[in-house]
Amino acid sequence: METMRKPFQGVLNIVRFNWHFYVFAFALVLGLFFVAQYFAPPLRTVLIGVGILATASTLISLLASFYVYDLAGLYNFTWLDQQNATNTVVNINAGFDETSTLLKAKFKQAELIVLDFYDPSKHTEISIKRARKAYPPFPGTQQVETGNLQLPDDSVDKIFVILSAHEIRDESERLTFFKALKRAIKPAGQIYIIEHLRDVPNFLAYNIGFFHFHAKSSWLKTFREAGLNLKQELKHTPFISNFILDKNGNTL
């Protein structure tokens, strides 16, 4: 049975798992406003202005996240092509899995394999550790390495990597991961890579936080070097791209 997402679940999870950032931002703004009263203009005006900008930036990022994760239907999967027969679906995460239950409901007759490539020695962000404590893994989740997904060659109809591939920060490791995806997918299968991009819309929404994402050119380079073909790019809002990949040279 499908577990419906709760109202505000997306944006509340962001605050929950990154509360240290918001505490710091709140303390910074209060500090600027407090210190500003001891200075005369124009420095007082500058300090107050910086505080207002910091507040606005934080609120904009939260509003953008609410739009992306809670309002825009990202997790409805209405964009999925249901025409092709699907026997095996793989969902790959980096330690935080919000989508396996939803995919299981979408592909009721398919075998769902859930893989987790989280490695605490490489993926050191405190937000992931908090998310893992808050959300237990999907039943049967298998722990794997990015270069060894433990999947037979040409065995999978659809592979989903939803908002997790960017956690592979090392470029060579990321290429190895995508080569492993290519080996696992069937000749007529599809790979779905859903990510924020390091681009103007995400900069406007998340400020310097957009550096956590990869540029589109970087993704395209990885796809090409892994021998994968970009069949289509869908935009889920200006902030999210869905790259649909297949094996080079195959007509689906």
Side-chain angles (χ1 to χ4, degrees), residues 232-249:
Q232 187 179 9
E233 179 186 358
L234 301 176
K235 294 296 291 187
H236 300 293
T237 75
F239 310 105
I240 295 282
S241 288
N242 177 5
F243 299 107
I244 304 176
L245 311 175
D246 57 44
K247 290 188 175 183
N248 260 335

Side-chain angles (χ1 to χ4, degrees), residues 14-122:
I14 289 174
V15 175
R16 181 182 184 185
F17 303 145
N18 299 278
W19 59 262
H20 60 289
F21 168 79
Y22 296 101
V23 169
F24 172 78
F26 182 70
L28 175 64
V29 170
L30 284 183
L32 287 170
F33 288 159
F34 177 77
V35 171
Q37 63 182 322
Y38 294 100
F39 291 90
L43 184 55
R44 176 189 298 172
T45 304
V46 170
L47 292 173
I48 292 174
V50 171
I52 292 173
L53 286 176
T55 302
S57 177
T58 302
L59 291 176
I60 288 171
S61 71
L62 289 174
L63 287 172
S65 297
F66 176 57
Y67 171 57
V68 169
Y69 300 123
D70 296 304
L71 292 182
L74 174 64
Y75 296 105
N76 292 341
F77 298 108
T78 54
W79 44 268
L80 271 173
D81 179 11
Q82 297 293 328
Q83 295 178 359
N84 295 335
T86 301
N87 299 315
T88 306
V89 174
V90 171
N91 191 28
I92 304 177
N93 67 76
F96 177 44
D97 183 3
E98 287 190 293
T99 56
S100 288
T101 299
L102 303 176
L103 288 172
K104 183 61 179 176
K106 194 76 174 180
F107 299 99
K108 294 181 175 64
Q109 304 304 319
E111 176 190 12
L112 175 64
I113 300 172
V114 182
L115 307 179
D116 177 0
F117 65 72
Y118 173 74
D119 182 344
S121 66
K122 297 178 181 179

Side-chain angles (χ1 to χ4, degrees), residues 138-151:
F138 186 82
T141 296
Q142 303 173 37
Q143 199 70 37
V144 298
E145 298 176 354
T146 50
N148 181 15
L149 300 179
Q150 303 176 28
L151 296 170

